[in-house]
Amino acid sequence: MNLRDPLSFIRSKFMRDTATLQLGGAINQFSQVLSSVLLARVLTAQGQGLFFLAITLQALFYNLVNVGVVQATVTQVAAASVRESRDKVAAWLAFLVKSYALFSLAMIATGWFILPRVSVWWYAQRIGHERALELGQWAAWMTLWPLLDTPRAVAQVAFQGTRRMLPLAQLDNAVEIMRVFLVVLGAVLTRSPSGAIAGEIASRLLGSYLAADMYHTARSDKNAWLPSLRDVLARVPEIPFVRGIQLGLRVGLMRNTTALVLNILPPLIIGAQTGSAHVAYFKVASKIMGLPGMLLAGVSRTVLPAMSELRGTRDLARFKSMYTRSTWYSVLGMAVAIAVLLPLVKPLVAMFYPLDYAQPVLFFSGILGLATLLSAMGVGQEAFYILTDQLRQLLILTLVGALVTIPLNVVLIRAWPETGVVWGLVVYQTWALVHLVYIAIYFRRRAEQAWRH
């Protein structure tokens, strides 16, 4: 990639990979919006909100026990693949299997005890003890899906780490289509969120079967070697868990904090403050504003393995250029996409959803649009901190950010119970400016010396 020729970046493999994942992400996001339309028609706002709350409760528990093993493994597989270190590729995939198995079993064992009690404690006053207990039981059932999802996780990491973006996007799309069909079918047959949850779990099982088949097919490509699944499984018992999990814990701290603030706490707080219907409005707005957000998903999934390869070859100039261009191109693309989408939200929601959705979804979408635009500034942040060994500095900045933004969020929630938590997302995403300043200082003052060692 010629740094003096901007078009070289557009023609690069990085951009081809990004475009592939963005197209796949667009299909996924439209599929999720479609499923939200159908569930709204079948379950109404209250039932759909309960379905979303059950998923979010499970995600809260999952993020407390899950670590960043996927992201850590992608970086290691990418670095090993570019050096043609086949033994390390197989070893890191085996580590992923071992980590998933151990954490999934722990989550299943404790989730059945904890999640119903958490749900009753948090929601009994709002939706009643019996319904809150049922909600917690639904969330407990969904603790099964990470274990069922292990083969798909291995295939996704292998495809992403070796930059096979087309099969990665195809796998994501196929699993999403199966998920929508089974979730909606379950809801139609039972007229209850429980049927939708059963469909969600079934889709994980079928998705893993498909992933194993696609992985087997991908092994025929000799340009980027992959070990057999049998070889990966044979290595699982001997793989040291503690050494690999140290990197996973450091990466997971960043990702889990972000997921907790952006994806998990808002619907949980909204549900406790105003009921399940407003959870449905918020989640529908999130899915609609996820349409421009798909631009970021494609870039972020490409940045991590691409920058891992450049770090492995110690190409600082291209590493810095890739980070800078991917960040600012993402901000520009996001601004254009949000400007086009926002005026269409209310008429589209009024056309496809029940009448009570239009105004609250539009209001939530406007706030989330601003938060999404700010999030574009952090598209390459995760890759930077992992690959430059700056995770300690990330921890410090994250803790300082929490001390600054959490009190502001509490004030906003108390002032505006229905929307304060969503405004808090804007406050949280603004902290990305601090990370941009730190990264700029690193590249200017420390990078050349650090990369010599």
Side-chain angles (χ1 to χ4, degrees):
M1 182 170 60
N2 186 350
L3 298 181
R4 296 181 180 180
D5 179 13
L7 292 179
S8 67
F9 184 73
I10 297 175
R11 295 191 297 262
S12 66
K13 175 174 171 53
F14 176 87
M15 288 301 293
R16 293 196 302 271
D17 290 345
T18 299
T20 299
L21 292 181
Q22 285 176 339
L23 177 60
I27 296 172
N28 270 13
Q29 201 63 39
F30 278 114
S31 177
Q32 290 183 27
V33 172
L34 174 62
S35 71
S36 73
V37 172
L38 297 174
L39 288 177
R41 295 290 183 180
V42 175
L43 300 178
T44 72
Q46 285 76 18
Q48 186 179 35
L50 289 172
F51 170 68
F52 287 140
L53 279 177
I55 292 177
T56 308
L57 273 173
Q58 183 266 2
L60 171 64
F61 189 75
Y62 184 48
N63 276 267
L64 291 176
V65 299
N66 185 37
V67 292
V69 293
V70 170
Q71 289 68 36
T73 307
V74 168
T75 63
Q76 298 300 318
V77 168
S81 180
V82 77
R83 294 194 299 266
E84 298 185 354
S85 179
R86 298 185 174 187
D87 184 69
K88 286 191 175 181
V89 171
W92 276 102
L93 291 178
F95 164 76
L96 178 67
V97 172
K98 191 169 191 173
S99 300
Y100 250 66
L102 291 175
F103 282 111
S104 295
L105 291 173
M107 187 170 68
I108 292 169
T110 55
W112 283 89
F113 176 78
I114 293 176
L115 286 174
R117 288 164 174 77
V118 170
S119 181
V120 169
W121 168 68
W122 193 251
Y123 292 112
Q125 289 186 336
R126 171 63 60 178
I127 64 176
H129 182 277
E130 184 177 348
R131 178 61 85 179
L133 178 61
E134 187 176 32
L135 177 63
Q137 290 170 342
W138 292 338
W141 272 106
M142 285 191 291
T143 59
L144 293 170
W145 94 31
L147 185 62
L148 300 176
D149 220 25
T150 303
R152 185 172 71 128
V154 172
Q156 286 179 319
V157 166
F159 293 162
Q160 187 178 356
T162 57
R163 302 185 71 178
R164 289 176 167 92
M165 299 311 182
L166 180 58
L168 176 60
Q170 290 172 334
L171 175 59
D172 288 347
N173 290 158
V175 171
E176 173 60 20
I177 291 170
M178 287 191 295
R179 187 197 70 82
V180 171
F181 175 77
L182 292 171
V183 165
V184 174
L185 177 63
V188 170
L189 291 177
T190 63
R191 294 287 167 173
S192 165
S194 62
I197 288 165
E200 190 83 43
I201 296 170
S203 71
R204 304 289 168 162
L205 186 61
L206 292 178
S208 284
Y209 176 82
L210 175 63
D213 183 69
M214 291 184 66
Y215 184 94
H216 178 73
T217 301
R219 292 191 66 236
S220 61
D221 180 7
K222 304 302 181 183
N223 293 325
W225 177 86
L226 287 176
S228 69
L229 290 176
R230 181 176 298 179
D231 184 32
V232 171
L233 292 175
R235 290 169 175 259
V236 169
E238 66 188 39
I239 289 296
F241 178 72
V242 175
R243 183 183 305 174
I245 209 64
Q246 290 175 348
L247 176 60
L249 284 169
R250 288 182 291 171
V251 177
L253 176 64
M254 174 180 66
R255 292 189 63 85
N256 292 342
T257 301
T258 300
L260 188 69
V261 173
L262 299 184
N263 303 323
I264 298 173
L265 287 181
L268 293 180
I269 294 172
I270 291 171
Q273 295 275 357
T274 60
S276 61
H278 279 80
V279 175
Y281 305 145
F282 169 77
K283 292 295 289 186
V284 168
S286 299
K287 291 182 184 300
I288 292 173
M289 296 316 298
L291 292 172
M294 68 191 179
L295 299 173
L296 296 185
V299 175
S300 62
R301 296 181 79 181
T302 308
V303 159
L304 188 57
M307 291 177 65
S308 295
E309 292 180 359
L310 296 177
R311 185 66 179 94
T313 58
R314 297 182 181 274
D315 192 336
L316 175 58
R318 292 180 65 196
F319 183 93
K320 178 181 178 181
S321 175
M322 182 171 289
Y323 168 79
T324 303
R325 293 189 181 194
S326 62
T327 297
W328 296 115
Y329 287 177
S330 296
V331 172
L332 177 61
M334 186 63 63
V336 173
I338 291 173
V340 171
L341 179 62
L342 271 180
L344 303 175
V345 170
K346 188 172 182 178
L348 289 176
V349 172
M351 184 182 302
F352 294 106
Y353 289 86
L355 294 177
D356 58 311
Y357 276 69
Q359 189 57 43
V361 168
L362 174 63
F363 188 75
F364 281 134
S365 295
I367 305 172
L368 290 172
L370 179 57
T372 304
L373 179 60
L374 290 168
S375 72
M377 294 185 294
V379 69
Q381 175 183 305
E382 176 184 277
F384 167 83
Y385 282 113
I386 294 173
L387 298 171
T388 58
D389 196 25
Q390 299 292 298
L391 290 171
R392 180 174 176 272
Q393 287 73 14
L394 171 62
L395 174 60
I396 294 172
L397 289 176
T398 301
L399 291 176
V400 173
L403 292 174
V404 173
T405 59
I406 288 176
L408 292 175
N409 274 264
V410 172
V411 171
L412 291 170
I413 292 169
R414 288 181 175 177
W416 300 288
E418 292 184 3
T419 60
V421 66
V422 191
W423 282 113
L425 300 182
V426 177
V427 172
Y428 180 82
Q429 293 288 20
T430 304
W431 196 252
L433 293 169
V434 176
H435 290 284
L436 285 181
V437 171
Y438 175 80
I439 293 170
I441 293 172
Y442 173 87
F443 279 133
R444 181 179 294 272
R445 298 182 180 179
R446 300 175 54 194
E448 291 189 9
Q449 181 179 358
W451 281 50
R452 293 194 191 105
H453 304 288

mmCIF file of all heavy atoms in Angstrom, residues 12 29 41 67 120 170 190 281 314 316 327 379 382 390 403-404 416 432 438:
data_model
loop_
_atom_site.group_PDB
_atom_site.id
_atom_site.type_symbol
_atom_site.label_atom_id
_atom_site.label_comp_id
_atom_site.label_asym_id
_atom_site.label_seq_id
_atom_site.Cartn_x
_atom_site.Cartn_y
_atom_site.Cartn_z
ATOM 1 N N SER A 12 -6.679 -1.875 -1.855
ATOM 2 C CA SER A 12 -5.917 -2.855 -1.095
ATOM 3 C C SER A 12 -6.781 -4.042 -0.665
ATOM 4 O O SER A 12 -8.012 -3.993 -0.681
ATOM 5 C CB SER A 12 -5.324 -2.198 0.158
ATOM 6 O OG SER A 12 -6.368 -1.799 1.041
ATOM 7 N N GLN A 29 -27.750 -7.300 9.408
ATOM 8 C CA GLN A 29 -28.486 -6.246 10.091
ATOM 9 C C GLN A 29 -29.908 -6.127 9.558
ATOM 10 O O GLN A 29 -30.864 -5.962 10.329
ATOM 11 C CB GLN A 29 -27.755 -4.912 9.935
ATOM 12 C CG GLN A 29 -28.139 -3.882 10.984
ATOM 13 C CD GLN A 29 -27.771 -4.318 12.397
ATOM 14 O OE1 GLN A 29 -26.727 -4.898 12.626
ATOM 15 N NE2 GLN A 29 -28.655 -4.043 13.350
ATOM 16 N N ARG A 41 -45.005 -8.000 15.678
ATOM 17 C CA ARG A 41 -46.357 -8.356 15.243
ATOM 18 C C ARG A 41 -46.895 -9.558 16.013
ATOM 19 O O ARG A 41 -48.089 -9.635 16.323
ATOM 20 C CB ARG A 41 -46.352 -8.670 13.744
ATOM 21 C CG ARG A 41 -46.001 -7.480 12.857
ATOM 22 C CD ARG A 41 -47.109 -6.462 12.853
ATOM 23 N NE ARG A 41 -46.821 -5.347 11.961
ATOM 24 C CZ ARG A 41 -47.638 -4.314 11.771
ATOM 25 N NH1 ARG A 41 -48.787 -4.266 12.435
ATOM 26 N NH2 ARG A 41 -47.306 -3.338 10.952
ATOM 27 N N VAL A 67 -14.204 -14.009 28.763
ATOM 28 C CA VAL A 67 -13.046 -13.137 28.620
ATOM 29 C C VAL A 67 -12.796 -12.922 27.131
ATOM 30 O O VAL A 67 -13.481 -13.474 26.291
ATOM 31 C CB VAL A 67 -11.799 -13.747 29.290
ATOM 32 C CG1 VAL A 67 -11.957 -13.775 30.789
ATOM 33 C CG2 VAL A 67 -11.544 -15.156 28.768
ATOM 34 N N VAL A 120 -35.740 -11.909 39.541
ATOM 35 C CA VAL A 120 -36.767 -11.620 40.540
ATOM 36 C C VAL A 120 -36.401 -10.379 41.339
ATOM 37 O O VAL A 120 -37.246 -9.494 41.589
ATOM 38 C CB VAL A 120 -36.965 -12.835 41.479
ATOM 39 C CG1 VAL A 120 -37.826 -12.456 42.684
ATOM 40 C CG2 VAL A 120 -37.600 -13.988 40.715
ATOM 41 N N GLN A 170 -20.138 -15.460 4.822
ATOM 42 C CA GLN A 170 -21.156 -16.454 4.451
ATOM 43 C C GLN A 170 -21.641 -17.228 5.668
ATOM 44 O O GLN A 170 -22.844 -17.488 5.807
ATOM 45 C CB GLN A 170 -20.572 -17.410 3.404
ATOM 46 C CG GLN A 170 -20.346 -16.764 2.044
ATOM 47 C CD GLN A 170 -19.583 -17.683 1.092
ATOM 48 O OE1 GLN A 170 -18.818 -18.550 1.528
ATOM 49 N NE2 GLN A 170 -19.781 -17.492 -0.203
ATOM 50 N N THR A 190 -45.863 -20.774 19.692
ATOM 51 C CA THR A 190 -46.185 -20.700 21.120
ATOM 52 C C THR A 190 -46.888 -19.412 21.531
ATOM 53 O O THR A 190 -47.446 -19.349 22.622
ATOM 54 C CB THR A 190 -44.903 -20.829 21.962
ATOM 55 O OG1 THR A 190 -44.037 -19.712 21.669
ATOM 56 C CG2 THR A 190 -44.170 -22.125 21.648
ATOM 57 N N TYR A 281 -38.823 -0.832 22.287
ATOM 58 C CA TYR A 281 -38.587 0.372 21.482
ATOM 59 C C TYR A 281 -37.086 0.659 21.368
ATOM 60 O O TYR A 281 -36.581 0.986 20.288
ATOM 61 C CB TYR A 281 -39.283 1.584 22.108
ATOM 62 C CG TYR A 281 -40.772 1.420 22.343
ATOM 63 C CD1 TYR A 281 -41.390 2.002 23.449
ATOM 64 C CD2 TYR A 281 -41.556 0.681 21.462
ATOM 65 C CE1 TYR A 281 -42.751 1.859 23.674
ATOM 66 C CE2 TYR A 281 -42.927 0.531 21.682
ATOM 67 C CZ TYR A 281 -43.510 1.123 22.789
ATOM 68 O OH TYR A 281 -44.858 0.970 23.013
ATOM 69 N N ARG A 314 6.738 -6.005 11.656
ATOM 70 C CA ARG A 314 7.316 -4.759 12.205
ATOM 71 C C ARG A 314 7.297 -3.610 11.199
ATOM 72 O O ARG A 314 8.246 -2.808 11.121
ATOM 73 C CB ARG A 314 8.751 -5.009 12.705
ATOM 74 C CG ARG A 314 8.834 -6.012 13.845
ATOM 75 C CD ARG A 314 10.256 -6.195 14.332
ATOM 76 N NE ARG A 314 10.334 -7.163 15.402
ATOM 77 C CZ ARG A 314 10.157 -6.890 16.686
ATOM 78 N NH1 ARG A 314 9.886 -5.656 17.060
ATOM 79 N NH2 ARG A 314 10.235 -7.841 17.597
ATOM 80 N N LEU A 316 6.025 -0.422 10.817
ATOM 81 C CA LEU A 316 5.399 0.635 11.591
ATOM 82 C C LEU A 316 4.663 1.634 10.714
ATOM 83 O O LEU A 316 3.562 2.081 11.044
ATOM 84 C CB LEU A 316 6.458 1.360 12.430
ATOM 85 C CG LEU A 316 5.964 2.587 13.225
ATOM 86 C CD1 LEU A 316 4.852 2.197 14.178
ATOM 87 C CD2 LEU A 316 7.130 3.230 13.975
ATOM 88 N N THR A 327 -9.693 4.721 10.721
ATOM 89 C CA THR A 327 -10.454 5.503 11.697
ATOM 90 C C THR A 327 -11.225 6.637 11.031
ATOM 91 O O THR A 327 -12.437 6.766 11.197
ATOM 92 C CB THR A 327 -9.511 6.081 12.770
ATOM 93 O OG1 THR A 327 -8.897 5.008 13.488
ATOM 94 C CG2 THR A 327 -10.280 6.969 13.751
ATOM 95 N N VAL A 379 -12.807 2.650 16.087
ATOM 96 C CA VAL A 379 -12.903 1.424 15.304
ATOM 97 C C VAL A 379 -11.608 0.613 15.323
ATOM 98 O O VAL A 379 -11.620 -0.615 15.305
ATOM 99 C CB VAL A 379 -13.329 1.744 13.849
ATOM 100 C CG1 VAL A 379 -12.214 2.475 13.103
ATOM 101 C CG2 VAL A 379 -13.730 0.485 13.113
ATOM 102 N N GLU A 382 -9.152 -1.160 19.612
ATOM 103 C CA GLU A 382 -8.856 -2.468 20.203
ATOM 104 C C GLU A 382 -7.590 -3.064 19.608
ATOM 105 O O GLU A 382 -6.707 -3.553 20.333
ATOM 106 C CB GLU A 382 -10.034 -3.408 19.980
ATOM 107 C CG GLU A 382 -9.798 -4.819 20.461
ATOM 108 C CD GLU A 382 -10.958 -5.733 20.130
ATOM 109 O OE1 GLU A 382 -11.940 -5.734 20.895
ATOM 110 O OE2 GLU A 382 -10.893 -6.440 19.113
ATOM 111 N N GLN A 390 -0.123 -2.112 24.866
ATOM 112 C CA GLN A 390 -0.480 -0.946 25.668
ATOM 113 C C GLN A 390 -1.729 -1.212 26.516
ATOM 114 O O GLN A 390 -2.459 -0.285 26.862
ATOM 115 C CB GLN A 390 -0.753 0.250 24.740
ATOM 116 C CG GLN A 390 0.425 0.672 23.890
ATOM 117 C CD GLN A 390 1.538 1.253 24.734
ATOM 118 O OE1 GLN A 390 1.355 2.282 25.401
ATOM 119 N NE2 GLN A 390 2.686 0.622 24.709
ATOM 120 N N LEU A 403 -14.668 6.648 36.121
ATOM 121 C CA LEU A 403 -14.826 7.612 37.207
ATOM 122 C C LEU A 403 -15.469 8.909 36.732
ATOM 123 O O LEU A 403 -16.182 9.579 37.482
ATOM 124 C CB LEU A 403 -13.460 7.909 37.841
ATOM 125 C CG LEU A 403 -12.805 6.754 38.606
ATOM 126 C CD1 LEU A 403 -11.400 7.148 39.058
ATOM 127 C CD2 LEU A 403 -13.662 6.341 39.799
ATOM 128 N N VAL A 404 -15.231 9.253 35.467
ATOM 129 C CA VAL A 404 -15.793 10.483 34.917
ATOM 130 C C VAL A 404 -17.223 10.276 34.424
ATOM 131 O O VAL A 404 -18.121 11.085 34.697
ATOM 132 C CB VAL A 404 -14.914 11.010 33.766
ATOM 133 C CG1 VAL A 404 -15.588 12.204 33.066
ATOM 134 C CG2 VAL A 404 -13.536 11.409 34.290
ATOM 135 N N TRP A 416 -33.960 11.864 33.829
ATOM 136 C CA TRP A 416 -34.846 11.377 32.758
ATOM 137 C C TRP A 416 -34.879 9.852 32.796
ATOM 138 O O TRP A 416 -34.079 9.188 32.111
ATOM 139 C CB TRP A 416 -34.362 11.858 31.398
ATOM 140 C CG TRP A 416 -34.323 13.349 31.269
ATOM 141 C CD1 TRP A 416 -35.390 14.199 31.168
ATOM 142 C CD2 TRP A 416 -33.156 14.177 31.241
ATOM 143 N NE1 TRP A 416 -34.972 15.501 31.066
ATOM 144 C CE2 TRP A 416 -33.607 15.520 31.107
ATOM 145 C CE3 TRP A 416 -31.781 13.929 31.300
ATOM 146 C CZ2 TRP A 416 -32.711 16.583 31.047
ATOM 147 C CZ3 TRP A 416 -30.906 14.994 31.241
ATOM 148 C CH2 TRP A 416 -31.375 16.304 31.111
ATOM 149 N N ALA A 432 -13.935 8.339 23.696
ATOM 150 C CA ALA A 432 -13.061 7.902 22.592
ATOM 151 C C ALA A 432 -12.095 8.999 22.180
ATOM 152 O O ALA A 432 -10.998 8.714 21.676
ATOM 153 C CB ALA A 432 -13.904 7.469 21.396
ATOM 154 N N TYR A 438 -4.264 9.890 23.194
ATOM 155 C CA TYR A 438 -3.189 9.023 23.679
ATOM 156 C C TYR A 438 -2.508 8.307 22.519
ATOM 157 O O TYR A 438 -1.265 8.206 22.475
ATOM 158 C CB TYR A 438 -3.730 7.998 24.669
ATOM 159 C CG TYR A 438 -2.662 7.010 25.088
ATOM 160 C CD1 TYR A 438 -1.723 7.352 26.062
ATOM 161 C CD2 TYR A 438 -2.567 5.763 24.481
ATOM 162 C CE1 TYR A 438 -0.713 6.470 26.417
ATOM 163 C CE2 TYR A 438 -1.560 4.874 24.833
ATOM 164 C CZ TYR A 438 -0.637 5.225 25.790
ATOM 165 O OH TYR A 438 0.367 4.360 26.135
#
